[in-house]
């Protein structure tokens, strides 16, 4: 996948295994950045993804994978490239045995990632099933009141040692392996804190169990902490299992999107129908889609018609009618009729594949708000180890006798209660869920930076043509001249007759206004007649003979040049122009092209999209100012602005001046979003704090934008801002909780409350608090899955 703006850069997604805390993700980032040719690397702990931008002439995917492995973790590329299956099928090519798309390798990598995630959860479950019952027995034997009702041997220190050893080294063996691997690669992570804390508690208890007389002779009371080490390991295993399941749900949007794609397609070849795997479909293939089936790939309908559920594209549940010549999107649901389609985009080029790729990139990116948390988390573990050592030394030197026990308990509590996981997950978990929810709503957010920028905007600038309007002329007024009835012949009704004559005269024309008149006639059930004679008059209009009548269709200047009196229609045309419409006069003459008299006028305009007014109202509800920018005349721009509810209109702006206008608005509002769809909008989209492109627009616009609205509905701009604000709110909540928890919990664990209130944090409760801390951050982020954009009652559905 090419990096934006340069053919020399590429972006690769890696699935990374073995990360458990922010320290891990920081080390993976550092390892990737040290690879020659790597320009940028961002690792998302919540989704276990790395997004790397690199120079392919200096580095390759293999170099990146090896760098991650040298840091002590596993990695696998998720991106695939198009292979021979992407091209057209050679004539007579058989069905089975054809080359598959290389993009299938990306799906296989994702499948392996899913299996690795499932294996991780299964391993945690097995270790928890080992430790939980043994820990329960240790607890029964560790409390004297409970032990009185049990056999005496259940409280024997050697029996407790026998129970605690498999918990420590079998169930907790993963912590030791991960901690040693991190140390071998010059790092320290959450596993080291767990190992140091539990080993201290277990080792002290084991020494007392094996040599009780040694401690008794030195006046050290016998106080075993097997229950502490066992409960810590069990609770952390439980917390990691719950966290792994929650993190799987956080990145579940990609999985749900991919599940929409059907596994097979019905290929029409050699006069028959053959069911083939989706990866075998090629551009140009003719495919049959039956009712109730999902469209296999992007393409165009050749035969038949149907209603389709395109909610995955637009976010709207209303079905859309499609017929011959109209496009269909892969993975949308065919509801009613069967149709034959031609495959246009397959494999990694389909709409669904591009959506998945965008969501994966966004979830692997890093929002700027995360930088502070990363800086803190990167130094967290060494600081906690130092605090634990200082706590032990302080209690040993200054604490009341017996000093060793409170020193040990407090230092272990410090190691266990500290939670860099919560800091590391605070932002990426929210970004992963937020971007995934956005994809389900048709809001494709490219990166965490785009999401954060959208959450800060104070004004939204709309391009007019193609964004607020459909970008194509539509006849909205057909008005016969007073008293005009027209030449004899059907249709008899004057309005229909006027439209029929104008459309017949314009039928050979290639001008957009002429095409709009023809489409309007056909839309009213008329069949325009091809004129016997036709002449285009550049800059003025057309002249044609339709049957026995001569017809002029064009501007007021054309009518004046032929001596046609326009009468009251001239004033009427000026009023229509003031409303942003274009007036076309129609005159009819006698055989020979003489004696023209005005027959009426038509008004053509770029029709406003049904959701445009609602989009502006929803932005106003969010406290944002809406601005419209266009190259059209002031009158046309002002008229459209009034219809959609925008008062601030910047008109008659050339494409290169749009970026300058956006720059000026940024100085006024500080943060500005630009919504556009065309190539001429690309500079302005890039200039804005965040560009929002319509999915119905050009690829250039979408490349320049940070957010794409798949449906082309401008109301998506308000939804994108609202989703970004909500996501940032959750990020701030997560960060506050993570910082507040660690700032409060570490001093309490060190024994800061003992001199005042006599409160000491037991390491077992510290382990429970640590597990709940990281879990709460993920669960809080999962609330974003319920986000639904607020819809203004103003305006219709798209």
């Amino acid at each position: 996948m090419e990096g934006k703006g340069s053919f020399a850069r590429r972006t690769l997604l890696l699935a990374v295994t073995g990360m458990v805390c922010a320290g891990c993700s920081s080390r993976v980032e550092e390892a990737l950045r040290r690879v020659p040719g790597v320009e940028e690397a961002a690792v998302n702990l919540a989704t276990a993804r790395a997004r790397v931008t690199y120079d392919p002439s200096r580095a390759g995917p293999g170099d990146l994978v090896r760098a991650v492995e040298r840091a002590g973790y596993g990695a696998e590329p998720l991106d695939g490239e198009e292979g021979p299956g992407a091209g057209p099928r050679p004539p007579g090519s058989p069905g089975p045995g054809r080359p598959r798309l290389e993009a299938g390798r990306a799906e296989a990598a994702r499948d392996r990632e899913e299996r690795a995630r499932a294996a991780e959860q299964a391993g945690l479950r097995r270790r928890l099933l080992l430790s939980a019952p043994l820990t329960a027995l240790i607890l029964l034997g560790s409390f004297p009141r409970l032990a009185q009702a049990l056999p005496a041997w259940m409280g024997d220190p050697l029996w407790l040692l026998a129970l605690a050893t498999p918990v420590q080294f079998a169930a907790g063996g993963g912590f030791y392996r991960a901690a040693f691997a991190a140390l071998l690669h010059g790092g320290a992570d959450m596993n080291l804190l767990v190992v140091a804390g539990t080993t201290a508690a277990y080792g002290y208890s084991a020494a007392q169990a094996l040599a009780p007389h040694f401690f008794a002779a030195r006046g050290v009371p016998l106080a075993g902490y097997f229950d502490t080490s066992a409960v810590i390991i069990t609770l952390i295993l439980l917390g990691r299992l719950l966290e792994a399941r929650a993190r799987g749900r956080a990145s579940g949007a990609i999985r749900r999107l991919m599940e929409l794609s059907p596994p097979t397609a019905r290929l029409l070849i050699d006069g028959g129908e053959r069911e083939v795997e989706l990866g075998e479909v090629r551009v140009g293939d003719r495919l049959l889609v039956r009712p109730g089936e999902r469209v296999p790939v992007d393409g165009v309908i050749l035969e038949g018609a149907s209603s389709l559920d395109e909610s995955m594209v637009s976010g709207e549940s209303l079905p859309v009618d499609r017929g011959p010549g109209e496009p269909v999107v892969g993975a949308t649901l065919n509801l009613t009729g069967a149709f034959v389609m031609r495959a246009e985009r397959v494999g990694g080029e389909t709409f669904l594949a591009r959506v998945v790729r965008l969501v994966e990139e966004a979830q692997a990116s890093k929002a700027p708000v995360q930088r502070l948390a990363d800086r803190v988390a990167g130094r967290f573990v060494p600081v906690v180890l130092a605090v634990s050592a200082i706590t032990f030394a302080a209690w040993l030197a200054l604490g009341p006798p017996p000093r060793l026990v409170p020193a040990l308990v407090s230092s272990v509590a410090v190691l266990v209660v500290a939670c860099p996981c919560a800091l590391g997950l605070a932002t990426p978990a929210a970004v992963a869920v937020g971007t995934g929810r956005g994809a389900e709503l048709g809001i494709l957010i490219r990166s965490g930076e785009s999401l954060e920028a959208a959450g800060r905007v104070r004004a939204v600038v709309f391009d007019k043509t193609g964004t607020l309007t459909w970008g194509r002329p539509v006849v909205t007024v057909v008005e016969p001249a007073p008293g005009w009835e027209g030449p004899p012949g059907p249709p008899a009704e004057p309005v229909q007759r006027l439209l029929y004559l104008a459309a017949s005269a314009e039928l050979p024309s290639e001008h957009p206004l002429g095409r709009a008149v023809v489409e309007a006639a056909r839309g009213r059930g008329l069949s325009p007649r091809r004129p016997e004679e036709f002449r285009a008059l550049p800059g003025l209009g057309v002249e044609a003979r339709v049957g026995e009548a001569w017809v002029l269709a064009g501007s007021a200047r054309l009518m004046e040049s032929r001596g046609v009196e326009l009468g009251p229609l001239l004033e009427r045309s000026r009023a229509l122009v003031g409303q942003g419409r274009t007036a076309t006069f129609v005159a009819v003459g006698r055989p020979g092209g003489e004696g023209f008299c005005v027959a009426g006028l038509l008004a053509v305009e770029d029709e406003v999209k049904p959701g445009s007014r609602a989009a502006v109202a929803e932005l106003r509800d969010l406290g944002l100012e809406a601005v419209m920018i266009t190259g059209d005349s002031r009158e046309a721009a002002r008229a459209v602005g009034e219809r959609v509810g925008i008062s601030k209109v910047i008109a008659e702006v050339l494409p290169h001046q749009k970026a300058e206008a956006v720059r000026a608005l940024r100085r006024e509002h500080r943060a500005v979003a630009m919504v556009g769809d065309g190539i001429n909008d690309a500079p302005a989209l890039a200039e804005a704090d965040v560009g929002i492109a319509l999915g119905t627009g050009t690829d250039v616009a979408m490349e320049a934008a940070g957010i794409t609205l798949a449906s082309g509905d401008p109301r998506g701009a308000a939804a994108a801002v609202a989703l970004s604000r909500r996501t940032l709110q959750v990020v701030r909540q997560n960060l506050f909780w993570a910082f507040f928890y660690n700032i409060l919990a570490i001093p309490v664990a060190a024994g800061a409350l003992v001199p005042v209130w006599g409160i000491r944090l037991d390491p077992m409760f510290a382990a429970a608090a640590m597990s709940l801390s990281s879990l709460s951050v993920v669960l809080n982020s999962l609330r974003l899955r319920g986000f639904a954009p607020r819809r203004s009652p103003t305006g219709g559905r798209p």
Side-chain angles (χ1 to χ4, degrees):
M1 193 163 25
E2 301 292 345
K4 187 173 74 175
S6 171
F7 291 103
R9 300 167 64 218
R10 285 190 180 174
T11 299
L12 181 71
L13 291 177
L14 295 172
V16 183
T17 57
M19 296 190 301
V20 295
C21 69
C24 302
S25 58
S26 296
R27 274 192 301 281
V28 173
E29 278 187 9
E30 291 171 7
L32 289 169
R33 286 171 180 158
R34 284 196 296 267
V35 176
V38 170
E39 299 179 12
E40 183 183 353
V43 179
N44 187 309
L45 176 62
T47 56
R49 300 283 173 86
R51 183 175 183 266
V52 189
T53 302
Y54 65 99
D55 181 352
S57 65
R58 302 178 61 197
D63 300 315
L64 304 177
V65 169
R66 284 189 291 273
V68 175
E69 290 174 345
R70 284 195 298 269
Y73 304 91
E76 183 172 10
L78 284 178
D79 283 351
E81 298 174 357
E82 294 300 326
R89 181 187 310 282
S93 172
R98 293 170 296 156
R100 296 175 59 88
L101 283 175
E102 291 298 315
R105 294 187 304 185
E107 284 190 30
R110 292 187 186 99
D111 289 341
R112 287 193 292 272
E113 183 190 19
E114 286 293 324
R115 288 196 295 271
R117 182 174 292 162
E120 176 194 8
Q121 293 185 26
L124 288 169
R125 199 176 297 112
R126 284 193 301 270
R127 292 160 63 189
L128 181 61
L129 289 175
L130 170 64
S131 68
L134 294 176
T135 300
L137 292 174
I138 293 170
L139 286 172
L140 287 175
S142 298
F143 290 94
R145 291 183 181 178
L146 291 175
Q148 289 176 3
L150 298 171
W153 56 266
M154 290 192 69
D156 186 275
L158 292 176
W159 167 248
L160 296 178
L161 173 62
L163 294 174
T165 299
V167 174
Q168 186 71 29
F169 299 107
F175 301 130
Y176 283 91
R177 288 188 293 272
F180 289 147
L183 288 172
L184 286 174
H185 294 90
D189 60 10
M190 182 68 195
N191 293 297
L192 183 59
L193 297 181
V194 175
V195 166
T198 58
T199 302
Y202 171 84
Y204 176 75
S205 304
Q208 283 198 338
L210 295 172
H213 301 296
F214 174 84
F215 288 90
R218 287 159 179 77
V220 179
L222 298 180
Y225 289 96
F226 289 122
D227 54 342
T228 298
S229 62
V231 168
I232 288 172
I233 289 173
T234 300
L235 286 177
I236 292 176
L237 287 173
L238 175 61
R240 287 198 178 175
L241 176 60
L242 295 176
E243 183 184 321
R245 293 175 63 180
R247 283 162 61 179
R249 288 167 58 197
S251 58
I254 294 175
R255 185 167 57 252
R256 288 191 295 273
L257 286 170
M258 294 182 66
E259 288 172 354
L260 293 175
S261 185
T264 60
R266 301 181 186 276
L267 175 67
L268 300 180
I269 189 171
D270 299 332
E273 173 190 327
R274 180 176 298 153
E275 187 169 358
V276 299
E277 293 186 17
L278 190 64
E280 298 180 3
V281 175
R282 295 188 179 189
V283 173
D285 280 352
R286 298 173 72 249
L287 307 171
L288 173 65
V289 184
R290 293 176 175 166
E293 296 179 345
R294 291 197 176 270
V295 179
V297 296
D298 298 357
V300 176
I301 294 179
L302 300 176
E303 305 169 18
S306 183
S307 293
L308 288 93
D309 177 358
E310 296 188 349
S311 57
M312 61 159 280
V313 177
S314 64
E316 297 288 344
S317 57
L318 289 179
V320 179
D321 294 332
R322 299 290 186 199
E326 293 187 295
V328 289
V329 178
T332 54
L333 181 62
N334 181 28
L335 298 176
T336 55
F339 60 85
V340 176
M341 62 173 286
R342 180 179 65 246
E344 298 283 339
R345 287 190 293 271
V346 300
E349 295 303 312
T350 64
F351 172 82
L352 181 63
R354 285 182 291 168
V355 169
V356 169
R357 197 156 57 234
L358 276 172
V359 175
E360 285 181 331
E361 286 188 15
Q363 292 187 346
S365 68
K366 184 167 289 187
V369 73
Q370 190 178 347
R371 291 169 185 158
L372 174 61
D374 283 349
R375 286 197 295 270
V376 173
R379 298 166 176 81
F380 192 87
V381 172
V383 169
V384 171
L385 289 171
V387 171
S388 177
I390 293 170
T391 299
F392 183 83
W395 278 103
L396 196 62
L398 305 174
R403 296 174 179 177
L404 180 60
V405 173
L408 178 66
V409 170
S410 296
S411 62
V412 169
V414 168
L415 292 171
V416 174
V417 80
C419 189
C421 301
L423 286 171
L425 289 169
T427 299
V431 169
V433 181
T435 54
R437 179 58 181 155
E440 293 173 342
L441 295 171
I443 303 167
L444 310 180
I445 302 172
R446 185 181 294 274
S447 66
E449 291 90 338
S450 300
L451 186 144
E452 184 171 341
R456 291 187 290 104
V457 299
R458 293 294 176 265
V460 177
V461 183
F462 287 96
D463 171 57
K464 180 182 79 71
T465 305
T467 302
L468 293 173
T469 66
W470 287 111
R472 58 177 183 267
V474 177
V475 175
T476 55
V477 175
V478 181
E479 191 171 309
W484 181 84
E485 295 183 358
E493 202 273 321
V495 171
Q496 295 286 82
R497 183 67 174 161
L498 174 63
L499 184 58
Y500 170 79
L501 289 172
S504 298
E506 296 278 14
L507 193 61
S509 173
E510 295 298 327
H511 194 281
L513 296 183
R515 306 312 306 158
V517 173
V518 174
E519 290 300 320
R522 288 172 174 165
R524 298 192 184 196
L526 301 175
S527 299
R529 171 179 176 172
R530 181 163 292 278
E532 285 75 11
E533 297 182 44
F534 172 83
R535 183 160 64 103
L537 307 172
L540 297 173
V542 300
E543 180 180 13
R545 181 166 67 88
V546 181
E548 297 300 320
W550 281 86
V551 180
L552 287 177
S555 65
R557 283 198 302 134
L558 173 60
M559 299 299 148
E560 291 170 5
S561 68
R562 296 299 181 92
V564 179
E565 290 290 335
L566 298 177
L569 289 183
L570 184 59
E571 285 301 317
R572 173 65 172 146
S573 71
R574 289 171 181 162
L576 292 170
V577 170
Q579 297 170 7
R581 301 175 182 178
T582 300
T584 296
F585 294 95
V586 181
V588 178
R590 295 189 299 271
E594 298 179 356
F596 283 101
C597 65
V598 66
L601 66 77
L602 310 178
V604 179
E605 66 176 315
D606 187 1
E607 192 176 24
V608 171
K609 291 181 178 180
S612 295
R613 188 172 183 85
V616 174
E618 289 165 14
L619 288 171
R620 194 177 295 116
D621 291 341
L622 292 171
L624 303 177
E625 181 180 8
V627 181
M628 187 175 73
I629 188 168
T630 178
D632 283 357
S633 67
R634 286 183 174 85
E635 291 79 8
R638 193 182 304 114
V640 172
E642 290 174 357
R643 267 177 275 168
V644 300
I646 295 179
S647 58
K648 187 167 186 175
V649 175
I650 305 172
E652 299 179 357
V653 177
L654 297 175
H656 70 276
Q657 294 173 326
K658 285 186 178 181
E660 296 172 6
V662 169
R663 195 176 302 121
L665 288 167
R666 289 181 67 190
R667 288 194 294 268
E668 179 183 351
H669 295 281
R670 294 193 306 278
V672 170
M674 171 71 192
V675 187
D677 74 319
I679 292 176
N680 62 338
D681 297 323
L685 290 168
E687 177 63 35
D689 292 273
V690 59
I692 302 177
L694 303 188
T696 52
T698 64
D699 290 341
V700 174
M702 285 185 274
E703 277 298 311
I707 298 175
T708 299
L709 308 179
S711 66
D713 184 353
R715 290 183 299 174
V721 172
L723 175 61
S724 299
R725 285 184 175 182
R726 181 76 175 276
T727 303
L728 288 178
Q729 181 185 39
V730 171
V731 167
R732 285 190 286 268
Q733 291 170 352
N734 289 348
L735 287 173
F736 172 80
W737 167 248
F739 279 109
F740 174 79
Y741 165 82
N742 283 292
I743 290 171
L744 180 67
I746 291 175
V748 172
L753 299 182
V754 173
V756 183
W757 290 297
I759 298 174
R760 185 186 303 278
L761 183 63
D762 188 282
M764 289 187 289
F765 292 109
M770 186 275 293
S771 297
L772 289 174
S773 176
S774 56
L775 185 61
S776 65
V777 165
V778 178
L779 293 178
N780 187 47
S781 301
L782 286 173
R783 294 190 303 117
L784 288 167
R785 293 178 61 183
F787 171 83
R790 295 177 60 185
R791 290 304 191 195
S792 168
T794 307
R797 300 174 75 92

